Amino acid sequence: MEKMDLMALLRGNSYPGRGIVIGKSADGGSAVIAYFIMGRSENSRNRIFVETEDGIRTEAYDPSKVTDPSLIIYHPVRELENLTIVTNGDQTDTICDVMDCGGEFEEALRTRTFEPDGPNWTPRISGLVTWYHCRKDFEMQMSILKSADGNGDYVQRQFFDYPGLPAGEGRFLHTYKCDGNPIPSFEGEPERVALEGDIDAFAARLWESLNADNKVSLFVRYIDLATGEADTRIINKHC
């Protein structure tokens, strides 16, 4: 698979929806995790990211304008010991609960399906980073739960396992292939992308590459592979 320019991919797509990037920094010293949300409706755009004790959650910027919180308010990122879970919905909690009891990433997601928002049937995308202190490295898994060719009666569950990545490389998974009505779901394997720069440079370039009208919030975290310490940046369109 060709390694692509992440920023060019974003600049060329006005509506990838919600996206997860996981990979290794260019210097090889950090695991890189990014999650962004976009929105076309006032309800979807009325959000910000806020930090929590074990990750982040979405919150209404203006509570008086919320029309339906069911699919827009959730915990996109949660931590559990040496695990970092990132998703585009409340399946974050499902994964966390199952793995906290000794279960597996795939096991948790086999209990879930795509979002009940026909005719779009928005996919549920998820990622897991497992950091190993003894190896000073990490493994990652990604998943997408999507409707079968837009048919809301059938689910396709796809899982991707990456036991190791070279420095400066990541995988990019997003909910939608592009804008549309209904919006077409992502297809294929998570895209192979190049990762460059320190956390501030990477976050700034990623945010600038998202469509100005549709971008809402961005989370970026670099986890030091030698120490496990995390450095986080959050950018909200509504400050």
Side-chain angles (χ1 to χ4, degrees):
M1 180 186 295
E2 178 186 0
K3 187 191 295 186
M4 294 176 283
D5 183 331
L6 174 60
M7 309 311 167
L9 286 174
L10 293 173
R11 289 193 298 269
N13 188 346
S14 64
Y15 202 64
R18 286 164 276 175
I20 297 172
V21 180
I22 303 177
K24 186 178 287 187
S25 62
D27 64 8
S30 300
V32 176
I33 302 171
Y35 176 65
F36 65 79
I37 59 174
M38 307 181 81
R40 300 192 303 179
S41 68
E42 183 179 37
N43 194 49
S44 292
R45 291 177 174 179
N46 181 36
R47 289 184 287 176
I48 57 174
F49 285 163
V50 296
E51 289 197 73
T52 64
E53 185 177 340
D54 68 344
I56 63 169
R57 63 182 172 86
T58 60
E59 185 176 277
Y61 174 69
D62 183 347
S64 70
K65 293 182 178 180
V66 175
T67 57
D68 180 6
S70 61
L71 295 176
I72 66 168
I73 304 300
Y74 56 93
H75 292 86
V77 178
R78 292 189 64 186
E79 294 180 338
L80 182 67
E81 296 181 348
N82 65 325
L83 309 175
T84 301
I85 302 159
V86 53
T87 90
N88 71 325
D90 63 11
Q91 72 267 28
T92 311
D93 298 330
T94 303
I95 297 168
C96 192
D97 291 346
V98 169
M99 298 195 76
D100 193 32
C101 293
E104 301 293 334
F105 179 72
E106 291 189 14
E107 176 188 355
L109 288 170
R110 291 191 187 283
T111 69
R112 302 302 304 268
T113 184
F114 45 81
E115 295 184 354
D117 63 341
N120 294 320
W121 308 119
T122 299
R124 292 189 186 273
I125 56 173
S126 306
L128 174 69
V129 170
T130 305
W131 171 67
Y132 297 98
H133 178 268
C134 58
R135 289 163 35 191
K136 295 182 173 57
D137 208 348
F138 72 99
E139 296 180 355
M140 56 177 278
Q141 295 169 269
M142 303 183 91
S143 171
I144 183 168
L145 314 180
K146 55 187 288 187
S147 66
D149 298 319
N151 187 330
D153 293 327
Y154 300 97
V155 62
Q156 295 177 337
R157 297 185 179 93
Q158 298 174 334
F159 299 94
F160 307 93
D161 190 2
Y162 302 96
L165 288 177
E169 185 172 309
R171 293 293 187 273
F172 176 36
L173 180 61
H174 42 105
T175 52
Y176 305 127
K177 183 164 60 175
C178 58
D179 205 346
N181 190 23
I183 317 173
S185 295
F186 178 89
E187 294 180 350
E189 184 179 345
E191 294 158 331
R192 182 185 178 213
V193 294
L195 302 181
E196 299 176 350
D198 62 16
I199 187 170
D200 289 309
F202 178 70
R205 292 182 64 225
L206 203 162
W207 181 250
E208 290 167 4
S209 299
L210 293 168
N211 180 271
D213 293 329
N214 295 325
K215 65 184 177 183
V216 175
S217 295
L218 169 68
F219 162 91
V220 175
R221 174 167 290 172
Y222 275 40
I223 302 174
D224 188 305
L225 295 177
T227 66
E229 294 182 0
D231 197 10
T232 299
R233 300 290 184 272
I234 291 176
I235 303 175
N236 290 308
K237 190 171 186 177
H238 297 296
C239 298

